[in-house]
Protein backbone atom coordinates (compact mmCIF):
# COMPACT_ATOMS: atom_id res chain seq x y z
CA UNK A 1 0.00 0.00 0.00
CA UNK A 2 1.09 3.57 -0.60
CA UNK A 3 2.14 5.86 2.22
CA UNK A 4 -0.05 8.74 3.44
CA UNK A 5 1.35 12.19 2.60
CA UNK A 6 2.61 14.10 5.66
CA UNK A 7 -0.11 16.72 5.17
CA UNK A 8 -2.62 14.10 6.24
CA UNK A 9 -0.67 12.57 9.11
CA UNK A 10 -3.66 12.89 11.40
CA UNK A 11 -5.37 10.13 9.42
CA UNK A 12 -5.17 6.91 11.37
CA UNK A 13 -6.83 4.50 8.98
CA UNK A 14 -4.74 2.20 6.79
CA UNK A 15 -3.76 3.04 3.23
CA UNK A 16 -4.74 0.91 0.26
CA UNK A 17 -4.29 0.75 -3.50
CA UNK A 18 -7.52 1.96 -5.04
CA UNK A 19 -8.73 1.00 -8.47
CA UNK A 20 -12.48 1.62 -8.20
CA UNK A 21 -14.71 4.63 -8.86
CA UNK A 22 -13.34 7.83 -7.40
CA UNK A 23 -15.51 9.72 -4.84
CA UNK A 24 -15.73 13.49 -4.88
CA UNK A 25 -13.73 15.58 -7.33
CA UNK A 26 -10.46 13.63 -7.16
CA UNK A 27 -9.08 12.30 -10.48
CA UNK A 28 -9.84 8.74 -11.47
CA UNK A 29 -7.37 6.06 -10.49
CA UNK A 30 -5.53 4.34 -13.33
CA UNK A 31 -2.91 1.65 -13.88
CA UNK A 32 -0.26 4.36 -13.92
CA UNK A 33 -1.20 6.02 -10.61
CA UNK A 34 -1.54 4.90 -7.02
CA UNK A 35 -3.83 6.42 -4.39
CA UNK A 36 -4.24 6.25 -0.63
CA UNK A 37 -7.68 5.50 0.78
CA UNK A 38 -8.29 7.58 3.94
CA UNK A 39 -11.43 7.62 6.15
CA UNK A 40 -13.21 10.46 7.92
CA UNK A 41 -12.61 13.42 5.63
CA UNK A 42 -16.28 14.22 5.05
CA UNK A 43 -16.93 12.69 1.65
CA UNK A 44 -20.36 11.17 1.06
CA UNK A 45 -19.18 7.70 1.93
CA UNK A 46 -16.79 8.86 4.63
CA UNK A 47 -13.58 8.53 2.60
CA UNK A 48 -11.54 10.30 -0.06
CA UNK A 49 -8.76 9.35 -2.47
CA UNK A 50 -5.53 11.31 -2.26
CA UNK A 51 -2.54 10.87 -4.60
CA UNK A 52 0.23 8.71 -3.19
CA UNK A 53 3.77 9.96 -2.80
CA UNK A 54 5.53 10.47 -6.18
CA UNK A 55 8.18 7.91 -5.26
CA UNK A 56 5.56 5.18 -5.25
CA UNK A 57 4.37 5.86 -8.81
CA UNK A 58 6.01 3.34 -11.25
CA UNK A 59 8.44 4.92 -13.72
CA UNK A 60 8.27 4.38 -17.48
CA UNK A 61 10.59 1.49 -18.45
CA UNK A 62 13.57 2.02 -20.74
CA UNK A 63 15.63 -0.39 -22.89
CA UNK A 64 19.38 0.23 -23.12
CA UNK A 65 20.37 -2.92 -25.04
CA UNK A 66 19.21 -6.32 -26.27
CA UNK A 67 21.38 -9.40 -26.84
CA UNK A 68 21.49 -10.89 -29.42
CA UNK A 69 20.24 -8.33 -31.91
CA UNK A 70 19.07 -10.86 -34.50
CA UNK A 71 17.37 -14.24 -34.79
CA UNK A 72 15.48 -16.46 -37.18
CA UNK A 73 12.02 -15.74 -38.55
CA UNK A 74 10.82 -18.99 -36.98
CA UNK A 75 11.36 -17.46 -33.53
CA UNK A 76 12.79 -19.27 -30.53
CA UNK A 77 15.88 -17.07 -29.98
CA UNK A 78 16.69 -16.44 -26.31
CA UNK A 79 16.96 -12.64 -25.89
CA UNK A 80 18.32 -10.70 -22.89
CA UNK A 81 16.94 -7.18 -22.41
CA UNK A 82 18.79 -4.62 -20.26
CA UNK A 83 17.24 -1.38 -19.07
CA UNK A 84 15.35 0.18 -16.16
CA UNK A 85 11.90 0.13 -14.58
CA UNK A 86 11.12 -3.56 -15.18
CA UNK A 87 8.44 -4.96 -12.86
CA UNK A 88 6.37 -8.11 -12.51
CA UNK A 89 3.53 -8.37 -14.99
CA UNK A 90 5.72 -6.91 -17.76
CA UNK A 91 4.70 -7.38 -21.40
CA UNK A 92 7.36 -7.62 -24.14
CA UNK A 93 6.55 -6.94 -27.80
CA UNK A 94 8.66 -7.73 -30.87
CA UNK A 95 7.17 -5.28 -33.33
CA UNK A 96 3.44 -6.02 -33.08
CA UNK A 97 3.86 -9.59 -31.82
CA UNK A 98 3.74 -10.40 -28.10
CA UNK A 99 6.47 -12.57 -26.60
CA UNK A 100 4.90 -15.36 -24.54
CA UNK A 101 7.93 -16.37 -22.46
CA UNK A 102 9.02 -13.42 -20.30
CA UNK A 103 11.09 -13.63 -17.11
CA UNK A 104 11.76 -10.44 -15.13
CA UNK A 105 15.10 -11.15 -13.47
CA UNK A 106 15.36 -7.72 -11.82
CA UNK A 107 14.39 -4.10 -12.36
CA UNK A 108 17.16 -3.91 -14.97
CA UNK A 109 17.06 -7.35 -16.64
CA UNK A 110 14.52 -9.38 -18.61
CA UNK A 111 14.96 -12.72 -20.39
CA UNK A 112 12.51 -13.63 -23.13
CA UNK A 113 12.14 -15.68 -26.31
CA UNK A 114 11.55 -14.10 -29.71
CA UNK A 115 8.21 -14.99 -31.32
CA UNK A 116 7.94 -15.86 -35.01
CA UNK A 117 7.95 -12.86 -37.34
CA UNK A 118 8.59 -11.90 -40.95
CA UNK A 119 12.10 -11.05 -42.11
CA UNK A 120 13.15 -7.49 -41.26
CA UNK A 121 14.01 -5.25 -38.32
CA UNK A 122 11.52 -4.48 -35.53
CA UNK A 123 11.58 -2.52 -32.28
CA UNK A 124 11.34 -4.43 -29.01
CA UNK A 125 9.21 -2.66 -26.39
CA UNK A 126 8.53 -3.30 -22.70
CA UNK A 127 5.22 -2.31 -21.08
CA UNK A 128 4.70 -2.10 -17.29
CA UNK A 129 2.31 -0.25 -14.97
CA UNK A 130 4.52 2.79 -15.59
CA UNK A 131 3.99 2.82 -19.37
CA UNK A 132 5.71 1.58 -22.54
CA UNK A 133 9.40 2.05 -23.36
CA UNK A 134 10.26 4.58 -26.07
CA UNK A 135 11.77 3.04 -29.22
CA UNK A 136 15.37 3.64 -30.26
CA UNK A 137 18.23 1.97 -32.10
CA UNK A 138 19.15 0.20 -28.83
CA UNK A 139 16.03 -2.00 -28.95
CA UNK A 140 16.09 -3.11 -32.58
CA UNK A 141 15.95 -6.83 -33.42
CA UNK A 142 16.50 -8.17 -36.94
CA UNK A 143 14.61 -11.24 -38.13
CA UNK A 144 16.65 -13.39 -40.52
CA UNK A 145 15.36 -16.08 -42.87
CA UNK A 146 16.62 -19.52 -41.89
CA UNK A 147 18.41 -20.76 -44.98
CA UNK A 148 19.12 -24.48 -44.99
CA UNK A 149 22.22 -25.61 -46.89
CA UNK A 150 21.81 -28.52 -49.30
CA UNK A 151 25.10 -30.15 -50.45
CA UNK A 152 25.14 -31.78 -53.88
CA UNK A 153 27.53 -33.91 -55.90
CA UNK A 154 29.44 -31.22 -57.87
CA UNK A 155 28.31 -30.48 -61.41
CA UNK A 156 29.44 -27.93 -64.01
CA UNK A 157 27.15 -25.14 -65.22
CA UNK A 158 29.58 -22.96 -67.17
CA UNK A 159 32.77 -23.27 -69.23
CA UNK A 160 33.72 -20.36 -71.47
CA UNK A 161 36.39 -22.27 -73.41
CA UNK A 162 35.58 -22.94 -77.09
CA UNK A 163 34.64 -26.38 -78.41
CA UNK A 164 32.91 -27.38 -75.14
CA UNK A 165 35.72 -29.39 -73.46
CA UNK A 166 33.42 -30.08 -70.48
CA UNK A 167 30.73 -31.69 -72.70
CA UNK A 168 27.98 -29.40 -71.38
CA UNK A 169 24.50 -29.15 -72.88
CA UNK A 170 21.45 -26.90 -72.74
CA UNK A 171 21.70 -23.67 -70.75
CA UNK A 172 25.02 -24.70 -69.18
CA UNK A 173 26.54 -24.82 -72.67
CA UNK A 174 24.85 -21.86 -74.36
CA UNK A 175 25.35 -19.34 -71.56
CA UNK A 176 29.13 -19.66 -71.50
CA UNK A 177 30.74 -21.44 -74.47
CA UNK A 178 33.12 -19.16 -76.35
CA UNK A 179 32.46 -16.22 -73.99
CA UNK A 180 35.91 -15.64 -72.49
CA UNK A 181 35.95 -12.53 -70.33
CA UNK A 182 37.94 -9.57 -71.61
CA UNK A 183 39.37 -6.76 -69.48
CA UNK A 184 36.89 -4.92 -67.25
CA UNK A 185 34.00 -7.06 -68.49
CA UNK A 186 31.32 -9.22 -66.89
CA UNK A 187 29.39 -12.38 -67.65
CA UNK A 188 26.00 -13.10 -66.06
CA UNK A 189 25.03 -16.77 -65.75
CA UNK A 190 21.99 -18.70 -64.58
CA UNK A 191 22.43 -20.82 -61.44
CA UNK A 192 18.98 -21.50 -59.99
CA UNK A 193 16.96 -23.98 -62.02
CA UNK A 194 20.00 -25.82 -63.39
CA UNK A 195 20.75 -29.40 -62.40
CA UNK A 196 19.56 -30.10 -58.87
CA UNK A 197 19.39 -26.41 -57.86
CA UNK A 198 15.73 -25.36 -57.51
CA UNK A 199 14.53 -22.10 -59.01
CA UNK A 200 13.66 -20.97 -55.45
CA UNK A 201 17.26 -21.29 -54.18
CA UNK A 202 18.40 -18.30 -52.13
CA UNK A 203 22.16 -18.81 -52.44
CA UNK A 204 24.76 -21.05 -54.04
CA UNK A 205 28.20 -22.44 -53.24
CA UNK A 206 30.24 -22.44 -56.43
CA UNK A 207 33.76 -23.52 -57.29
CA UNK A 208 34.99 -20.89 -59.75
CA UNK A 209 38.12 -21.52 -61.84
CA UNK A 210 40.14 -18.91 -63.73
CA UNK A 211 41.79 -20.60 -66.73
CA UNK A 212 44.98 -19.26 -68.36
CA UNK A 213 44.54 -15.47 -68.06
CA UNK A 214 46.65 -13.38 -70.44
CA UNK A 215 47.53 -10.95 -67.63
CA UNK A 216 47.51 -11.11 -63.81
CA UNK A 217 43.88 -10.52 -62.85
CA UNK A 218 41.14 -11.11 -60.31
CA UNK A 219 37.51 -12.24 -60.50
CA UNK A 220 34.57 -10.96 -58.44
CA UNK A 221 31.35 -12.99 -58.21
CA UNK A 222 28.20 -11.28 -56.94
CA UNK A 223 24.37 -11.32 -57.25
CA UNK A 224 23.24 -10.10 -60.67
CA UNK A 225 20.75 -7.77 -58.96
CA UNK A 226 23.55 -5.65 -57.46
CA UNK A 227 23.70 -2.37 -59.37
CA UNK A 228 27.25 -1.66 -58.16
CA UNK A 229 30.10 -4.16 -58.31
CA UNK A 230 31.41 -4.78 -54.78
CA UNK A 231 35.02 -3.96 -53.89
CA UNK A 232 35.51 -7.56 -52.77
CA UNK A 233 37.35 -10.13 -54.89
CA UNK A 234 36.97 -13.90 -54.95
CA UNK A 235 39.97 -15.19 -56.81
CA UNK A 236 43.35 -13.94 -58.06
CA UNK A 237 45.21 -15.57 -60.94
CA UNK A 238 48.59 -15.02 -62.56
CA UNK A 239 49.36 -15.12 -66.27
CA UNK A 240 49.03 -18.57 -67.88
CA UNK A 241 47.91 -20.35 -64.70
CA UNK A 242 44.72 -22.13 -63.68
CA UNK A 243 43.40 -21.24 -60.24
CA UNK A 244 40.17 -22.23 -58.45
CA UNK A 245 38.41 -20.89 -55.38
CA UNK A 246 35.17 -21.72 -53.60
CA UNK A 247 32.59 -18.91 -53.68
CA UNK A 248 29.45 -18.52 -51.59
CA UNK A 249 27.06 -16.11 -53.31
CA UNK A 250 23.54 -14.82 -52.69
CA UNK A 251 21.01 -15.55 -55.44
CA UNK A 252 18.48 -12.85 -56.38
CA UNK A 253 14.95 -13.72 -57.50
CA UNK A 254 16.13 -14.34 -61.07
CA UNK A 255 18.66 -16.94 -59.83
CA UNK A 256 21.63 -15.38 -61.65
CA UNK A 257 25.14 -14.30 -60.64
CA UNK A 258 27.60 -11.98 -62.35
CA UNK A 259 31.33 -12.75 -62.82
CA UNK A 260 33.63 -9.74 -63.31
CA UNK A 261 37.19 -9.89 -64.74
CA UNK A 262 39.65 -7.11 -63.93
CA UNK A 263 42.15 -7.19 -66.77
CA UNK A 264 43.44 -9.26 -69.70
CA UNK A 265 41.40 -12.12 -71.10
CA UNK A 266 40.46 -15.20 -69.11
CA UNK A 267 38.28 -18.28 -69.44
CA UNK A 268 36.21 -19.43 -66.48
CA UNK A 269 34.59 -22.68 -65.36
CA UNK A 270 31.87 -22.79 -62.69
CA UNK A 271 30.89 -25.88 -60.69
CA UNK A 272 27.95 -26.04 -58.25
CA UNK A 273 28.69 -27.67 -54.87
CA UNK A 274 25.48 -26.81 -53.03
CA UNK A 275 22.75 -24.25 -52.47
CA UNK A 276 20.65 -22.66 -49.73
CA UNK A 277 16.89 -22.70 -49.52
CA UNK A 278 14.10 -21.51 -47.24
CA UNK A 279 12.46 -24.92 -47.52
CA UNK A 280 12.35 -26.95 -44.32
CA UNK A 281 15.27 -29.29 -43.83
CA UNK A 282 17.83 -30.48 -41.33
CA UNK A 283 21.17 -29.82 -43.04
CA UNK A 284 22.29 -27.37 -40.36
CA UNK A 285 25.86 -26.19 -39.90
CA UNK A 286 27.87 -27.22 -36.84
CA UNK A 287 31.12 -25.22 -36.47
CA UNK A 288 34.15 -26.82 -34.84
CA UNK A 289 35.80 -24.81 -32.08
CA UNK A 290 39.20 -25.95 -33.33
CA UNK A 291 39.91 -27.01 -36.94
CA UNK A 292 41.56 -30.43 -37.15
CA UNK A 293 43.93 -32.13 -39.58
CA UNK A 294 42.59 -35.39 -41.02
CA UNK A 295 45.15 -36.29 -43.71
CA UNK A 296 48.74 -35.59 -44.68
CA UNK A 297 49.87 -38.15 -47.28
CA UNK A 298 53.50 -37.04 -46.84
CA UNK A 299 53.49 -39.04 -43.58
CA UNK A 300 53.43 -42.24 -45.64
CA UNK A 301 56.98 -41.42 -46.79
CA UNK A 302 59.56 -42.78 -44.38
CA UNK A 303 61.92 -39.86 -45.04
CA UNK A 304 59.22 -37.33 -44.13
CA UNK A 305 57.95 -39.29 -41.15
CA UNK A 306 61.48 -39.72 -39.86
CA UNK A 307 61.91 -35.98 -39.35
CA UNK A 308 58.27 -35.31 -38.45
CA UNK A 309 57.34 -38.29 -36.29
CA UNK A 310 55.59 -36.19 -33.64
CA UNK A 311 53.56 -34.32 -36.23
CA UNK A 312 52.66 -37.47 -38.17
CA UNK A 313 51.48 -39.18 -35.01
CA UNK A 314 48.61 -36.63 -34.88
CA UNK A 315 47.13 -37.92 -38.16
CA UNK A 316 44.11 -40.16 -37.33
CA UNK A 317 44.92 -43.86 -37.63
CA UNK A 318 41.98 -44.37 -40.00
CA UNK A 319 43.75 -42.15 -42.53
CA UNK A 320 47.41 -42.68 -41.68
CA UNK A 321 47.80 -45.31 -44.39
CA UNK A 322 46.86 -42.90 -47.20
CA UNK A 323 49.75 -42.36 -49.62
CA UNK A 324 50.72 -39.77 -52.18
CA UNK A 325 48.60 -39.90 -55.34
CA UNK A 326 49.58 -41.39 -58.67
CA UNK A 327 47.98 -40.02 -61.87
CA UNK A 328 44.28 -40.89 -62.05
CA UNK A 329 44.16 -42.37 -58.53
CA UNK A 330 41.24 -42.05 -56.10
CA UNK A 331 41.51 -42.59 -52.33
CA UNK A 332 38.77 -42.59 -49.70
CA UNK A 333 39.09 -40.34 -46.64
CA UNK A 334 37.36 -41.11 -43.36
CA UNK A 335 35.76 -37.95 -41.93
CA UNK A 336 32.95 -39.07 -39.62
CA UNK A 337 34.12 -39.76 -36.09
CA UNK A 338 37.37 -37.79 -36.51
CA UNK A 339 38.55 -34.29 -35.57
CA UNK A 340 35.38 -33.39 -33.68
CA UNK A 341 33.05 -34.61 -36.44
CA UNK A 342 30.47 -37.04 -34.98
CA UNK A 343 30.38 -40.63 -36.18
CA UNK A 344 26.74 -40.48 -37.33
CA UNK A 345 24.29 -37.98 -38.76
CA UNK A 346 26.84 -36.05 -40.86
CA UNK A 347 25.54 -34.98 -44.29
CA UNK A 348 28.50 -32.88 -45.50
CA UNK A 349 31.87 -31.58 -44.27
CA UNK A 350 33.74 -28.31 -44.75
CA UNK A 351 37.32 -29.19 -45.72
CA UNK A 352 40.42 -27.23 -46.62
CA UNK A 353 42.37 -29.29 -49.16
CA UNK A 354 46.00 -28.49 -50.02
CA UNK A 355 48.13 -29.95 -52.80
CA UNK A 356 51.90 -30.08 -52.41
CA UNK A 357 54.87 -32.02 -53.82
CA UNK A 358 53.60 -31.63 -57.37
CA UNK A 359 55.83 -32.04 -60.43
CA UNK A 360 53.36 -30.98 -63.11
CA UNK A 361 50.06 -29.12 -63.30
CA UNK A 362 46.95 -30.97 -62.21
CA UNK A 363 43.77 -30.92 -60.15
CA UNK A 364 41.88 -32.59 -57.29
CA UNK A 365 38.19 -33.54 -57.34
CA UNK A 366 36.32 -34.39 -54.12
CA UNK A 367 32.93 -36.09 -54.08
CA UNK A 368 30.80 -38.45 -51.94
CA UNK A 369 32.43 -41.82 -51.43
CA UNK A 370 30.95 -44.43 -53.74
CA UNK A 371 29.45 -41.92 -56.17
CA UNK A 372 30.50 -41.55 -59.79
CA UNK A 373 33.33 -39.04 -60.09
CA UNK A 374 31.98 -35.77 -61.54
CA UNK A 375 33.65 -33.77 -64.30
CA UNK A 376 34.00 -30.84 -61.88
CA UNK A 377 37.28 -29.95 -60.15
CA UNK A 378 37.94 -28.42 -56.72
CA UNK A 379 41.61 -27.48 -56.74
CA UNK A 380 44.02 -26.65 -59.57
CA UNK A 381 47.78 -26.14 -59.33
CA UNK A 382 50.94 -25.43 -61.25
CA UNK A 383 54.11 -27.42 -60.47
CA UNK A 384 55.96 -26.69 -57.24
CA UNK A 385 53.32 -24.55 -55.51
CA UNK A 386 51.42 -25.51 -52.36
CA UNK A 387 47.83 -24.59 -53.27
CA UNK A 388 44.77 -24.71 -50.99
CA UNK A 389 41.04 -24.52 -51.61
CA UNK A 390 37.94 -24.88 -49.46
CA UNK A 391 35.55 -27.71 -50.30
CA UNK A 392 32.05 -28.45 -49.00
CA UNK A 393 31.43 -32.06 -49.95
CA UNK A 394 28.61 -34.52 -49.14
CA UNK A 395 29.52 -37.49 -46.96
CA UNK A 396 28.56 -41.08 -47.77
CA UNK A 397 29.17 -43.89 -45.26
CA UNK A 398 31.30 -41.47 -43.26
CA UNK A 399 33.76 -40.92 -46.12
CA UNK A 400 34.57 -38.67 -49.06
CA UNK A 401 36.60 -39.58 -52.16
CA UNK A 402 39.58 -37.58 -53.43
CA UNK A 403 40.77 -37.95 -57.03
CA UNK A 404 44.07 -36.60 -58.36
CA UNK A 405 44.82 -36.10 -62.06
CA UNK A 406 48.58 -36.40 -61.52
CA UNK A 407 51.30 -37.06 -58.92
CA UNK A 408 50.58 -35.07 -55.73
CA UNK A 409 50.58 -35.10 -51.95
CA UNK A 410 47.40 -34.02 -50.17
CA UNK A 411 46.72 -32.30 -46.85
CA UNK A 412 43.11 -32.21 -45.61
CA UNK A 413 41.76 -30.17 -42.67
CA UNK A 414 38.18 -30.05 -41.36
CA UNK A 415 36.62 -26.88 -39.91
CA UNK A 416 32.94 -27.82 -39.60
CA UNK A 417 30.15 -30.04 -40.83
CA UNK A 418 26.47 -30.17 -41.71
CA UNK A 419 24.25 -32.64 -39.90
CA UNK A 420 20.71 -33.95 -39.76
CA UNK A 421 20.36 -32.68 -36.17
CA UNK A 422 17.26 -30.62 -35.38
CA UNK A 423 19.37 -27.78 -33.95
CA UNK A 424 22.29 -26.00 -35.52
CA UNK A 425 23.17 -22.95 -37.56
CA UNK A 426 21.50 -21.60 -40.66
CA UNK A 427 23.48 -20.09 -43.53
CA UNK A 428 22.70 -16.48 -44.48
CA UNK A 429 24.31 -15.44 -47.81
CA UNK A 430 24.95 -11.71 -48.37
CA UNK A 431 26.38 -9.52 -51.10
CA UNK A 432 30.20 -9.46 -50.68
CA UNK A 433 31.52 -6.79 -48.31
CA UNK A 434 35.12 -5.98 -47.27
CA UNK A 435 35.76 -5.69 -43.51
CA UNK A 436 39.59 -5.73 -43.29
CA UNK A 437 42.56 -4.68 -45.44
CA UNK A 438 45.96 -4.40 -43.76
CA UNK A 439 47.73 -2.89 -46.77
CA UNK A 440 49.17 0.55 -46.01
CA UNK A 441 47.38 3.57 -47.42
CA UNK A 442 43.92 1.96 -47.18
CA UNK A 443 43.63 1.10 -50.90
CA UNK A 444 40.13 -0.31 -50.34
CA UNK A 445 38.88 3.01 -48.95
CA UNK A 446 37.44 1.42 -45.81
CA UNK A 447 35.98 3.53 -43.00
CA UNK A 448 34.41 3.10 -39.59
CA UNK A 449 34.69 -0.36 -38.04
CA UNK A 450 35.68 -1.78 -41.44
CA UNK A 451 38.93 0.25 -41.27
CA UNK A 452 39.94 -1.81 -38.23
CA UNK A 453 42.96 -3.37 -39.99
CA UNK A 454 44.44 -0.41 -41.85
CA UNK A 455 48.24 -0.66 -41.76
CA UNK A 456 48.27 -3.80 -39.57
CA UNK A 457 50.66 -5.87 -41.73
CA UNK A 458 51.24 -9.24 -40.05
CA UNK A 459 54.80 -9.95 -39.00
CA UNK A 460 56.17 -13.53 -38.97
CA UNK A 461 54.54 -15.72 -36.30
CA UNK A 462 52.09 -12.96 -35.39
CA UNK A 463 48.30 -12.81 -35.30
CA UNK A 464 45.53 -10.26 -35.78
CA UNK A 465 42.06 -10.24 -34.22
CA UNK A 466 39.39 -9.09 -36.68
CA UNK A 467 35.96 -7.94 -35.52
CA UNK A 468 33.21 -9.67 -37.48
CA UNK A 469 30.04 -8.93 -35.48
CA UNK A 470 28.77 -5.49 -36.48
CA UNK A 471 31.31 -5.04 -39.29
CA UNK A 472 30.23 -4.61 -42.90
CA UNK A 473 26.60 -4.25 -41.89
CA UNK A 474 26.53 -7.71 -40.27
CA UNK A 475 24.47 -8.24 -37.09
CA UNK A 476 26.26 -7.15 -33.91
CA UNK A 477 25.58 -10.48 -32.20
CA UNK A 478 24.30 -14.00 -32.82
CA UNK A 479 26.91 -14.98 -35.47
CA UNK A 480 28.42 -18.42 -34.85
CA UNK A 481 30.56 -18.61 -38.00
CA UNK A 482 31.44 -16.35 -40.91
CA UNK A 483 32.12 -17.16 -44.56
CA UNK A 484 35.07 -15.06 -45.73
CA UNK A 485 37.30 -14.85 -48.73
CA UNK A 486 40.73 -14.51 -47.10
CA UNK A 487 43.51 -13.15 -49.32
CA UNK A 488 47.25 -13.16 -48.57
CA UNK A 489 49.07 -10.33 -50.35
CA UNK A 490 52.75 -9.41 -50.63
CA UNK A 491 54.26 -12.44 -48.89
CA UNK A 492 58.02 -12.18 -49.46
CA UNK A 493 58.76 -15.83 -48.62
CA UNK A 494 56.69 -19.00 -48.24
CA UNK A 495 54.10 -19.15 -45.48
CA UNK A 496 50.51 -19.81 -44.54
CA UNK A 497 47.55 -18.23 -42.77
CA UNK A 498 45.35 -19.97 -40.19
CA UNK A 499 42.00 -18.75 -38.92
CA UNK A 500 40.79 -19.69 -35.47
CA UNK A 501 38.36 -18.34 -32.85
CA UNK A 502 40.97 -18.79 -30.11
CA UNK A 503 44.26 -16.97 -29.63
CA UNK A 504 46.21 -20.26 -29.74
CA UNK A 505 47.27 -20.96 -33.36
CA UNK A 506 45.76 -24.19 -34.75
CA UNK A 507 47.78 -26.92 -36.42
CA UNK A 508 45.80 -26.40 -39.64
CA UNK A 509 46.20 -23.92 -42.51
CA UNK A 510 43.74 -21.95 -44.64
CA UNK A 511 45.83 -20.04 -47.20
CA UNK A 512 49.28 -21.03 -48.50
CA UNK A 513 51.74 -18.94 -50.52
CA UNK A 514 55.29 -19.52 -51.78
CA UNK A 515 56.52 -15.96 -52.25
CA UNK A 516 57.12 -16.59 -55.94
CA UNK A 517 53.52 -16.11 -57.14
CA UNK A 518 53.90 -12.30 -57.29
CA UNK A 519 50.14 -12.14 -56.93
CA UNK A 520 47.63 -12.22 -54.08
CA UNK A 521 46.51 -15.71 -53.02
CA UNK A 522 42.89 -16.14 -51.82
CA UNK A 523 40.89 -18.92 -50.23
CA UNK A 524 37.35 -19.23 -48.91
CA UNK A 525 37.25 -19.85 -45.15
CA UNK A 526 34.30 -20.89 -42.99
CA UNK A 527 35.60 -19.53 -39.70
CA UNK A 528 34.15 -20.05 -36.23
CA UNK A 529 33.47 -16.74 -34.44
CA UNK A 530 34.32 -16.38 -30.74
CA UNK A 531 31.86 -15.21 -28.07
CA UNK A 532 33.02 -11.59 -28.51
CA UNK A 533 32.38 -11.59 -32.27
CA UNK A 534 36.02 -11.93 -33.41
CA UNK A 535 38.11 -14.27 -35.54
CA UNK A 536 41.90 -14.53 -35.15
CA UNK A 537 44.16 -14.74 -38.21
CA UNK A 538 47.66 -16.14 -37.67
CA UNK A 539 50.69 -15.74 -39.97
CA UNK A 540 52.53 -19.08 -39.78
CA UNK A 541 55.58 -17.96 -41.74
CA UNK A 542 58.83 -17.75 -39.82
CA UNK A 543 60.37 -15.18 -42.18
CA UNK A 544 57.67 -13.47 -44.26
CA UNK A 545 55.49 -10.49 -43.46
CA UNK A 546 52.13 -10.55 -45.21
CA UNK A 547 49.09 -8.34 -45.73
CA UNK A 548 45.59 -9.76 -45.52
CA UNK A 549 42.24 -8.83 -47.05
CA UNK A 550 38.96 -10.15 -45.59
CA UNK A 551 35.75 -10.15 -47.65
CA UNK A 552 32.53 -11.50 -46.10
CA UNK A 553 30.06 -13.39 -48.33
CA UNK A 554 27.80 -14.89 -45.66
CA UNK A 555 27.47 -16.02 -42.07
CA UNK A 556 25.94 -18.70 -39.87
CA UNK A 557 23.40 -18.01 -37.16
CA UNK A 558 21.31 -20.21 -34.90
Amino acid sequence: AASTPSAFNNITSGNNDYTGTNPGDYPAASSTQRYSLAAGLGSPNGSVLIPALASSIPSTPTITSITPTSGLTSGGTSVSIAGTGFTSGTTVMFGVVTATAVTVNSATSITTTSPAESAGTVNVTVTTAGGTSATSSADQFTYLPGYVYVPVTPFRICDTRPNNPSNLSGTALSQCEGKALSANSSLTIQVAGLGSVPISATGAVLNVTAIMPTQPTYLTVYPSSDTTKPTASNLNANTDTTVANLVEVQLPTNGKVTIYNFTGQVNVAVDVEGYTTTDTGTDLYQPLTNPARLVDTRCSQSSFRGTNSTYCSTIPSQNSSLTGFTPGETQNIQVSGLGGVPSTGVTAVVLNVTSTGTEKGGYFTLYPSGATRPTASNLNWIPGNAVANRVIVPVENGKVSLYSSTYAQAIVDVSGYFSDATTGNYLVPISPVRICDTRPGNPSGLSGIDAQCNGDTLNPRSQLKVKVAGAGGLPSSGISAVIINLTASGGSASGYLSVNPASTPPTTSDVNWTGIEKIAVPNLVVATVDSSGYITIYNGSGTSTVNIIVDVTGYMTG
Side-chain angles (χ1 to χ4, degrees), residues 315-340:
I315 303 301
S317 59
Q318 294 93 322
N319 294 324
S320 60
S321 61
L322 298 181
T323 63
F325 287 82
T326 58
E329 183 181 7
T330 298
Q331 298 186 49
N332 291 323
I333 300 171
Q334 180 72 36
V335 293
S336 294
L338 303 179

Side-chain angles (χ1 to χ4, degrees), residues 248-260:
E248 192 278 330
V249 60
Q250 187 179 33
L251 291 179
T253 54
N254 65 8
K256 297 181 178 181
V257 300
T258 297
I259 305 171
Y260 167 83

Side-chain angles (χ1 to χ4, degrees), residues 289-348:
T289 302
N290 294 300
R293 181 146 292 176
L294 300 181
V295 173
D296 188 337
T297 61
R298 295 173 299 177
C299 287
S300 63
Q301 300 173 317
S302 57
S303 58
F304 183 87
R305 179 180 289 274
T307 56
N308 296 274
S309 57
T310 301
Y311 164 77
C312 288
S313 66
T314 65
I315 303 301
S317 59
Q318 294 93 322
N319 294 324
S320 60
S321 61
L322 298 181
T323 63
F325 287 82
T326 58
E329 183 181 7
T330 298
Q331 298 186 49
N332 291 323
I333 300 171
Q334 180 72 36
V335 293
S336 294
L338 303 179
V341 179
S343 57
T344 60
V346 177
T347 57

